[in-house]
Amino acid sequence: MPATATDPHTSRTRSWWGWGYTDAHPDDAECVATGALLPGTLARPLPIPRVADLSIGRPAATPPTSLTHLVTADPQARAAHAMGKAYRDVIRALRGRPGRIPDLVARPTRDQDVADLLDWAGEHGVAVIPFGGGSSVVGGVEYRGEAHHAVLSLDLTSMGRVLEIDTAARSARIQAGALGPALEAQLRPHGLTLRHFPQSFEFSTLGGWLATRAGGHYATVHTHIDDFVQSLRVITPAGAATSWRLPASGAGPSPDRFFLGSEGTLGVITEAWMRVRERPRHKASASVAFADFHRALDAVRAIAQSDLAPANCRLLDPGEALLSGASHDGSTVLVLGFESATSPVDARLTAAVDLARAHGGRGEAAPANRDTPPDAAVGAWRSAFLRMPYLRDGLARMGAVVETFETAATWGTIPALIDAVRTEVGAAAAKATGHPATVNCRLTHVYPDGAAPYFTVAVAGRPGDEVEVWDDIKAVATDVLHRHRATITHHHAVGRDHRPGYDLQRPDPFALALRAAKDALDPHRILNPGVLLD
């Protein structure tokens, strides 16, 4: 079993401590240049952490001979499975405080392997944490408890094949460990796509998307992975569960909805039948600039409540537009995009731009020819979108606190919510650090009844206390979201880091029902203990 974090599809090495590939990380000079944008950051970047410097002890559990071919205790593999890729994970690694490192990493290749590993773990009191691409940003892939003497990280990425395609039903049976690029590469020869592209697409798996109810970056209609699920297969300590393939059903509570978003606490999703579609052939995009952010909100609401259904309808406030290079004059920028597998989209793009202009926007629809270069603002945003997680890690090396949190609320709440987050979270960040802070906002997904604002906080941290600073900021943000009846998470899991906000929002009877389900399916309470259902 390979113990390195090398991506077999690219021969590039994944970072054990930060985002993405090691060869794409900012070098020291770029870190210093970026850090200079935030007053109070370090004079030079923190060194890149080494696994050799971590205190990694001997495993506290030994698997039976029948499972040893699936399991490794290699320090590099264990370190790479210790945490996700949130800001607090990255800065903890940089400061040499990664937390509890799993004793073992298992890479099953079939359902029976998963069942055998769960049986062994249940008999020996070993906690099991299902692990996909490791891009978790809510503390969902690490162990923070005390009830288990050993921890096993269950890496599903060796189960990454498209097993079957039903062209008549336009669906595909896909193993849960399929990373985004490999999944799409297997569908492409058939002219099909799942059309689910979260920012973590390169480094996340189908099973991870399902277990966290992930959102992609398409702005309207099918925004979440839930919409594409036809049926699931899940291995639990109590046995296997496979739902029927149906286009729709009113037969009681949905078994698929039961496992979607359960974050591995109820069972290990091993495969799913997913609804797929033809690959788009017609695409067009444009940007519209606004002098007034609140008029831009009105424009986005008008587009969301039309029948135009853009694939991209992303609103960037002046700070976000400047950061992405979409605007340098203080404008708010709306990025619009349309696509279709069957018909031209230029008329829909023109109609959306006209709606935006009716609300004070400045912009023209670009030609829909595929060979036409993208609008400059659209291209700048797309490049910045893909590069941003690497830049965040570079700023973390400079001692900065840089993180994004997201939510969703109804249209009547959105303006006051955005103003409150900017004011209160910005003030909390400045108070906690003694440095000026920025809070930028973008709308990423829009619905007829509301939208999903995403906020990025950036401030120089207190050296050595960056995690505590972020936790204080997050507590203020959670309070603001709760007061405005906004969700604690729009597009991914609760994990451990969103628990305070989630506990405020879930009804007590629902929490009791979830606990009962977990007790029934996991009598040994070994699966991802402490996440979501406690």
Side-chain angles (χ1 to χ4, degrees):
M1 173 186 301
T4 65
T6 300
D7 186 329
H9 303 287
T10 65
S11 298
R12 299 174 71 185
T13 301
R14 289 277 304 275
S15 171
W16 75 268
W17 64 273
W19 184 262
Y21 295 116
T22 57
D23 60 9
H25 286 182
D27 60 20
D28 286 3
E30 186 178 0
C31 290
V32 171
T34 308
L37 301 175
L38 284 177
T41 54
L42 303 175
R44 57 181 178 271
L46 296 169
I48 292 175
R50 304 185 311 158
V51 172
D53 295 332
L54 300 177
S55 177
I56 301 180
R58 293 175 60 84
T62 302
T65 304
S66 61
L67 298 178
T68 53
H69 66 291
L70 301 173
V71 177
T72 181
D74 175 77
Q76 184 82 24
R78 292 167 63 187
H81 288 74
M83 299 182 297
K85 303 302 180 187
Y87 167 78
R88 71 190 317 278
D89 302 327
V90 169
I91 197 68
R92 285 160 57 207
L94 288 168
R95 293 293 186 184
R97 302 195 294 264
R100 175 72 177 267
I101 293 174
D103 296 87
L104 300 165
V105 175
R107 293 188 175 93
T109 61
R110 56 187 183 133
D111 284 13
Q112 189 60 53
D113 293 341
V114 175
D116 291 344
L117 287 161
L118 292 183
D119 286 346
W120 168 73
E123 292 172 2
H124 293 83
V126 177
V128 179
I129 301 180
F131 192 99
S135 62
S136 168
V137 292
V138 290
V141 297
E142 66 176 285
Y143 184 84
R144 296 184 191 170
E146 300 292 338
H148 300 80
H149 76 284
V151 178
L152 173 74
S153 180
L154 189 66
D155 186 320
L156 275 293
T157 53
S158 292
M159 300 173 66
R161 292 185 296 133
V162 174
L163 299 172
E164 189 176 349
I165 293 178
D166 180 347
T167 55
R170 198 173 287 178
S171 52
R173 182 163 68 102
I174 307 169
Q175 289 183 305
L179 288 158
L183 186 159
E184 287 293 327
Q186 294 175 77
L187 293 176
R188 187 173 294 110
H190 303 274
L192 299 172
T193 176
L194 182 59
R195 195 183 179 270
H196 184 76
F197 301 104
Q199 189 175 33
S200 62
F201 173 73
E202 279 188 282
F203 311 111
S204 55
T205 62
L206 173 63
W209 303 340
L210 297 168
T212 61
R213 295 187 63 204
H217 68 72
Y218 285 94
T220 62
V221 189
H222 299 299
T223 60
H224 278 68
I225 196 66
D226 313 33
D227 301 320
F228 304 116
V229 176
Q230 195 177 63
S231 74
L232 296 178
R233 179 166 172 78
V234 185
I235 307 300
T236 82
T242 304
S243 58
W244 286 16
R245 292 180 60 204
L246 295 168
S249 174
S254 165
D256 294 337
R257 296 281 174 176
F258 185 61
F259 290 108
L260 288 170
S262 63
E263 301 185 41
T265 58
L266 302 178
V268 181
I269 299 170
T270 58
E271 64 180 59
W273 275 97
M274 303 298 295
R275 299 180 177 97
V276 294
R277 61 185 64 196
E278 291 182 58
R279 301 184 67 81
R281 299 195 302 272
H282 305 275
K283 295 183 180 181
S285 60
S287 65
V288 183
F290 294 82
D292 184 280
F293 180 75
H294 288 278
R295 292 205 68 189
L297 288 175
D298 292 337
V300 172
R301 177 165 55 86
I303 293 170
Q305 293 175 348
S306 72
D307 60 356
L308 296 172
N312 196 6
C313 186
R314 187 170 294 243
L315 186 67
L316 314 176
D317 76 359
E320 193 76 21
L322 177 63
L323 190 64
S324 68
S327 171
H328 297 279
D329 62 1
S331 295
T332 292
V333 175
L334 172 61
V335 178
L336 289 167
F338 288 83
E339 64 177 40
S340 171
T342 58
S343 57
V345 294
D346 51 332
R348 288 159 59 198
L349 177 62
T350 298
V353 171
D354 287 346
L355 273 175
R357 293 176 66 191
H359 289 82
R362 308 184 307 276
E364 300 288 342
N369 189 313
R370 283 179 61 93
D371 297 327
T372 301
D375 176 285
V378 175
W381 162 77
R382 186 175 293 116
S383 297
F385 177 77
L386 296 174
R387 182 65 176 158
M388 192 57 64
Y390 291 104
L391 295 179
R392 180 208 63 176
D393 289 359
L395 283 168
R397 290 187 62 200
M398 297 302 297
V401 177
V402 182
E403 186 61 298
T404 297
F405 64 93
E406 29 77 31
T407 186
T410 54
W411 282 115
T413 302
I414 291 288
L417 169 66
I418 292 174
D419 289 345
V421 169
R422 285 172 170 163
T423 301
E424 296 182 43
V425 174
K431 180 180 179 180
T433 63
H435 299 294
T438 62
V439 181
N440 296 329
C441 176
R442 60 189 183 272
L443 299 192
T444 63
H445 302 71
V446 295
Y447 306 93
D449 53 346
Y454 285 44
F455 301 93
T456 298
V457 181
V459 64
R462 296 195 309 262
D465 292 333
E466 294 91 350
V467 171
E468 290 76 10
V469 168
W470 170 245
D471 287 346
D472 290 345
I473 295 170
K474 181 66 178 293
V476 173
T478 298
D479 179 66
V480 174
L481 298 182
H482 181 63
R483 292 203 324 266
H484 288 81
R485 307 289 287 184
T487 180
I488 191 63
T489 173
H490 166 259
H491 81 279
H492 57 56
V494 174
R496 292 167 174 83
D497 296 339
H498 283 353
R499 274 297 301 275
Y502 179 72
D503 288 343
L504 289 170
Q505 294 177 6
R506 66 181 184 178
D508 288 340
F510 176 69
L512 291 173
L514 284 177
R515 179 184 288 276
K518 181 171 174 61
D519 288 342
L521 290 172
D522 186 3
H524 300 291
R525 294 188 65 81
I526 59 170
L527 280 170
N528 230 11
V531 179
L532 187 63
L533 304 186
D534 277 6

